[in-house]
Every structure is written in structure tokens, then in C-alpha cells.
Amino acid sequence: MSNVKVIIVGAGVCGLMTAIQLERAGIDYIVVEKARSCSPLGSALSLTSACNYIFDQLGMLEDIHKVSYPCTKIDYYREDLSHVGVMHARDNLKRYGYDGFLIRRVALYDIMLSRVPKEKIHWGKRMVSFRQDEKSVEIECQDNLDDDASIASGAEPATITFSGDILIGADGAYSSVRRNLYKDMQAKGITLPKSDLAPLHFDSDCVIGVTDVLSAEEFPILKEKSGDFWVIMGKERVIQVYLFTFAEDRIGWQICGKMDKPVEYEEKDFRFTDWKPIAADELCNIVRDYKCPFGGTLGDLIDKTPKDRLSKVMLEDKYFHTWYHQRTVLMGDACHKHLPFGGQGANQAILDSVHLVNQLYGIPSNSLADVEKSFKEYYGNRSTNARDVFKSTSMVASILNARGPLAEMSRFVVLGHCPDWFNNLGMDGMNSDRPILGFLPPPPGKGSVKAKPQVVAAHYKPGTAVAAV
Ligand SMILES: Cc1cc2nc3c(=O)[nH]c(=O)nc-3n(C[C@H](O)[C@H](O)[C@H](O)COP(=O)(O)OP(=O)(O)OC[C@H]3O[C@@H](n4cnc5c(N)ncnc54)[C@H](O)[C@@H]3O)c2cc1C
């Protein structure tokens, strides 16, 4: 076990999963998060079989099963509810060892937060800059004064610094760690790929809602207890509505619509796209009269959604090629931001965390050479699969977003008439990387499809398991 001190910036899925694993590894760490507390916004996450290995290994699966449903398919419909086709995940248990599942984002956060000691997370601290050298890394944070009362008071934010051996940027698509890292590298004369320096490009809006608890008499679909998705695609407008049911007898919905004027955002605008409760009438009004597969119209579901369970985000995708330098490394959305159409962003973030923690467990010392070597291994083990999945997600988005007779035809073939082997090929790609922690007993799950061989820095020896938290 190593004696490095780790600073994680961001308490999202990626940051918290990393924290839980470092806790089990007995590695010293802190998490710094700009939000003052865990935000209850957002709706569902669909997580694949590949992620179940680490949840099982960390003893989280039982809690997850209590508040999630297995996800076995995505059904696609046109606006008039005529069926386009289906993408199956029904063989996942057999092929990859576990079923995927659908869980309310807040429920997953509660489970993750219950496994990280409270004193390890520093809430309300926004990282603004860092410096790194041969010996250490130090970050500077400001008290996050984002709330209206603090802004109105005109108070200057207080500054606080933290230092350690390793800095992990798990701070999402507008990663402050990434921006500072790239500046640091450029200042040292390192040339970065052009695409890494280009601003994020947005071309879709997304409104997300979760209804109140509904009666299963009025919505019999709730009795099915399934984590499957229904997707309704607009005929003229490039718009998709995702519907799903939750273990708490609520229905979640997500409207993704192409913007009339795509925009590019520079770093000064990056806060604009945080999840926020927001008036979202425009997109909602477009789909209000669409028929709902559970009866009535989508407007009925929208009306059963309280305003504080509505949020809006803008959608972008980008794969960054530069993931680390010296003592700083990126994970999750900070280095590969996926569109939500393939439901892969959080999955890939979790897989990143397992690969990186395996490396950190085996790191021989906190010297710069050893730190850089472990990041290189992490990148080598993880980046190819992350990039392949990123490409598949972008392809799914283009198939769903295209309009016209040719596009209809391609959806008819890909979704409606694709043979099982083709469907399985896509699923294999998403589930080929199934990393586990080398220092804990392996979980029982096994699939008929072989996982990508895994390189771990230290191997589990019976009798050396670290106690469960
Ligand atoms: C509508 C929608 C639906 C989705 N559905 C799915 C799905 O079904 N399955 C799936 O796998 N993925 C899905 N995703 C993607 C998924 O939400 C993201 O990929 C995932 O949340 C990324 O996790 P992360 O921890 O890397 O980043 P984030 O979740 O963005 O977390 C980053 C954290 O860092 C904090 N932070 C940012 N800057 C700073 C700073 N300077 N200092 C301190 N803290 C900071 C933020 O407040 C945040 O808490 C969906 C996304 C959207 C928009």
C-alpha cells in the first residue's frame, strides 16, 4: 500500500467513487467540492454491467438493488407511438456477469456519501488554481459564494490552500483542474493537441423532470418494476423524449432537443451549464401533445412534475487527449464528456476511478517519477476503451438526431432489424472493460464474454482484505 496524499477536486460520481476506493485502500485523501452540499437535482443514471463489479467488490450492490430496477432494453417510438425498434441488454447477466440497472441519481449519491467519512469532504470550496513541482502539488480554493445572499453582501470570498502528492481532476466537463493543467503545460512549452484547446461546443438543450409519487392504478407501468427506457422521437424537430420509471413509483422524463443556434463556450461561461432548476417551458411545450406510452399525453406527466424537480442542462461532447502531467491527472467528464444518448458518462467515470486507484495502491513512493509512471499506466489501461465508447455514443447520437427518409431507413435497420450479433457487438464494447480492485477479494460475477485483460499494480492475497466501510 502506498503512502501518497491525494487531493480529489469534485464530489460527483467520479470523485466520490474514487474516494470510497481510496478509503478501502487506506490511502490518505481529501475531496474538495464547490457546491455547499450535495445537490438533489438531476434524475436517473443507467449503469452498465461493467460497473457492477466494483459496486459488488465494495459491498454497495445490496443497497443499490433496494433502490434500483434492472435495465434490459431501450424501446424507440415515433411521435405517433409507432414502434421503430429496440436495443437489447437482456443477455447482460449471462454475457457480462451482472444486469445493468437504473437508479435515481440522488439515491446513488446517498449510497456513495454514506461510505465517505464526512470530514474528508470539504464542501463549498471552489478550486481556482494550483501549482505543482518535483515535491508536491498545492491547490488554491475560494469559498463558493454562489448563493444570492452572499453575492448581494459583496463579501470577498475567503481563500484556503490544500497540498498533497497527487491532484485528481474529477470536476466535470468544465474542469478547472484541466484548464489550469493545460495552462501549466503550455507555460512550460509543451504543445497540446489543438482539439484539447478548442472550446466546448453545445448544440442541444436538455430538460429533465421527475414526477411526484404516482398511483400504480393510474399508471400500471409502475407495477412492472423495470428500469427500461422508452424513447419517443420527434418527426420534424430533432427531439427525443426519454421515459423511465423509478423504484419510488415516480416517472422520470428527459427531453433532448437540438438548439436552433449551436454555441461555443469559453471558460468564463463554464458555470452557465451547471444543473439548475429553471423555467423549461419552451422544450416542454414542443412535446406536450405527444402521446405517452403509459396513457394520456406527455403534458400530463409534465404537469405531475413539481417545478423544483425540473432542471435544464446543455449538452456537449468532447474527448480530451491529454489526461495527465506531473502530479495532476484527469478522470470522468473532465477528460471525456459524453452525450447522454448512450448513457455512458457516469459509467466511464466509474471505470476510470477503478483503474486509477489500482495504480495508486501499487505506487512505490511519492516521487515525481513514480507518480508520473502510475498516471502513464492508468492512461494506457483506460484511454482506448474510453475513446471507443465515446465514438459509439456519438454514433448513436447521430443516428437518433438525423432527419429525412434516409435517416428513417437507417433507424429502421439499426434499431428495428439488427440481428442479435450486431446488438451484442455494441454491448460488448460497453462492457469489455470490467476492472476490479487488485487489492480486494474478487467479486463473484462472471460473464460468458471475456473481459479485457486487466493490469493491476498489486494483487489480492487471501487474508489481506481491508475491512468494509
Ligand atoms: C441528462 C443527462 C443524463 C445522463 N444520463 C446518464 C446515464 O444514464 N448513465 C451514465 O452513465 N451517464 C449519464 N449522464 C452523464 C453523467 O451524468 C456524467 O457523465 C457524470 O455525472 C460525470 O461524473 P463526473 O464526476 O466526472 O462529473 P460531474 O458529475 O460533473 O461532477 C463534477 C463535480 O465537480 C464539482 N466541481 C466543478 N468544478 C469545481 C471546482 N473548480 N472546484 C471544486 N469542485 C468543482 C462539481 O460541482 C461537481 O460536483 C447523463 C448526463 C446528462 C446531462
Side-chain angles (χ1 to χ4, degrees):
M1 195 214 310
S2 67
N3 61 355
V4 288
K5 180 170 181 191
V6 179
I7 304 171
I8 304 168
V9 178
V13 178
C14 192
L16 290 177
M17 281 306 292
T18 308
I20 296 168
Q21 294 168 71
L22 291 178
E23 187 70 31
R24 291 296 294 273
I27 295 176
D28 192 9
Y29 71 95
I30 55 162
V31 183
V32 174
E33 165 57 52
K34 71 177 181 182
R36 291 177 163 216
S37 60
C38 180
S39 158
L41 292 173
S43 62
L45 280 174
S46 133
L47 296 174
T48 56
S49 314
C51 286
N52 278 267
Y53 282 80
I54 187 61
F55 289 136
D56 202 350
Q57 209 179 14
L58 293 169
M60 297 168 74
L61 218 44
E62 202 181 317
D63 285 352
I64 286 175
H65 282 160
K66 285 185 198 149
V67 287
S68 66
Y69 288 151
C71 174
T72 58
K73 66 177 162 57
I74 307 177
D75 256 313
Y76 293 90
Y77 297 88
R78 295 183 191 86
E79 203 176 301
D80 59 5
L81 285 193
S82 55
H83 195 229
V84 179
V86 65
M87 219 183 261
H88 281 294
R90 64 182 169 219
D91 295 332
N92 281 18
L93 176 62
K94 201 171 76 203
R95 293 177 69 77
Y96 317 117
Y98 295 87
D99 271 324
F101 60 85
L102 181 81
I103 188 166
R104 212 140 75 82
R105 212 175 261 263
V106 180
L108 179 65
Y109 271 69
D110 284 347
I111 294 171
M112 292 190 297
L113 283 170
S114 72
R115 283 158 167 85
V116 182
K118 284 194 173 49
E119 67 279 8
K120 297 275 180 81
I121 307 183
H122 297 260
W123 296 100
K125 303 282 177 275
R126 176 191 292 275
M127 194 213 85
V128 285
S129 63
F130 72 79
R131 48 145 221 95
Q132 56 180 346
D133 57 29
E134 273 285 317
K135 298 249 175 289
S136 65
V137 56
E138 184 179 90
I139 67 167
E140 186 178 284
C141 297
Q142 286 181 342
D143 268 340
N144 195 4
L145 301 181
D146 261 359
D147 61 305
D148 293 344
S150 305
I151 291 167
S153 77
E156 275 296 310
T159 304
I160 179 166
T161 57
F162 299 95
S163 56
D165 302 305
I166 283 175
L167 171 62
I168 298 181
D171 51 344
Y174 314 99
S175 172
S176 178
V177 175
R178 185 187 64 235
R179 283 182 283 114
N180 280 283
L181 176 69
Y182 288 1
K183 264 191 215 156
D184 179 44
M185 292 173 76
Q186 284 179 297
K188 289 172 181 155
I190 300 169
T191 308
L192 291 163
K194 257 194 189 154
S195 64
D196 281 358
L197 300 171
L200 287 147
H201 173 87
F202 299 83
D203 68 359
S204 298
D205 270 333
C206 179
V207 178
I208 299 128
V210 181
T211 66
D212 277 325
V213 173
L214 301 173
S215 120
E217 298 316 310
E218 192 183 352
F219 291 92
I221 186 70
L222 295 171
K223 293 180 189 160
E224 288 187 16
K225 308 207 175 303
S226 117
D228 296 346
F229 284 83
W230 289 256
V231 184
I232 305 167
M233 293 179 285
K235 187 165 185 239
E236 306 295 338
R237 290 285 304 239
V238 179
I239 207 156
Q240 289 100 27
V241 184
Y242 290 76
L243 300 174
F244 33 87
T245 59
F246 289 117
E248 300 97 335
D249 280 355
R250 301 176 195 270
I251 294 178
W253 52 268
Q254 194 171 294
I255 311 169
C256 302
K258 204 124 180 124
M259 291 163 154
D260 292 333
K261 288 189 195 139
V263 283
E264 288 189 341
Y265 278 94
E266 297 286 358
E267 69 181 64
K268 67 182 165 47
D269 302 304
F270 70 96
R271 275 189 290 167
F272 183 68
T273 50
D274 287 352
W275 300 75
K276 283 206 166 46
I278 198 160
D281 292 345
E282 201 186 318
L283 270 179
C284 293
N285 286 341
I286 298 173
V287 302
R288 250 183 183 284
D289 296 330
Y290 284 17
K291 280 190 201 151
C292 173
F294 315 142
T297 63
L298 293 184
D300 298 334
L301 287 185
I302 293 169
D303 294 339
K304 289 182 192 304
T305 305
K307 288 268 182 262
D308 64 350
R309 283 180 184 275
L310 270 182
S311 44
K312 185 173 173 182
V313 280
M314 293 203 300
L315 304 179
E316 70 292 282
D317 68 343
K318 182 155 169 166
Y319 179 88
F320 293 87
H321 296 270
T322 310
W323 287 23
Y324 67 93
H325 175 63
Q326 287 196 329
R327 295 184 172 274
T328 304
V329 66
L330 303 175
M331 314 169 77
D333 277 14
C335 52
H336 43 68
K337 175 72 176 91
H338 297 246
L339 288 166
F341 305 107
Q344 277 299 313
N347 282 288
Q348 297 303 309
I350 292 168
L351 302 184
D352 289 355
S353 71
V354 188
H355 278 285
L356 184 61
V357 173
N358 265 326
Q359 291 304 325
L360 299 188
Y361 187 81
I363 204 168
S365 80
N366 61 359
S367 74
L368 182 57
D370 283 340
V371 168
E372 280 189 315
K373 187 164 174 273
S374 74
F375 292 169
K376 191 175 173 197
E377 294 277 339
Y378 154 69
Y379 180 78
N381 291 333
R382 183 67 199 118
S383 60
T384 310
N385 180 254
R387 200 182 50 232
D388 290 348
V389 173
F390 175 84
K391 282 184 188 158
S392 318
T393 302
S394 304
M395 195 180 76
V396 172
S398 346
I399 292 173
L400 296 180
N401 281 342
R403 286 294 174 272
L406 252 181
E408 265 286 318
M409 177 81 86
S410 71
R411 280 193 286 270
F412 177 80
V413 174
V414 175
L415 300 172
H417 292 80
C418 88
D420 276 356
W421 66 263
F422 187 76
N423 189 79
N424 288 341
L425 204 64
M427 287 293 157
D428 287 357
M430 286 181 207
N431 291 288
S432 65
D433 192 13
R434 310 199 283 267
I436 59 171
L437 291 173
F439 57 87
L440 291 184
K446 285 199 180 21
S448 60
V449 176
K450 273 207 164 144
K452 176 177 164 274
Q454 190 190 346
V455 186
V456 290
H459 283 281
Y460 167 69
K461 292 184 200 75
T464 59
V466 183
V469 277

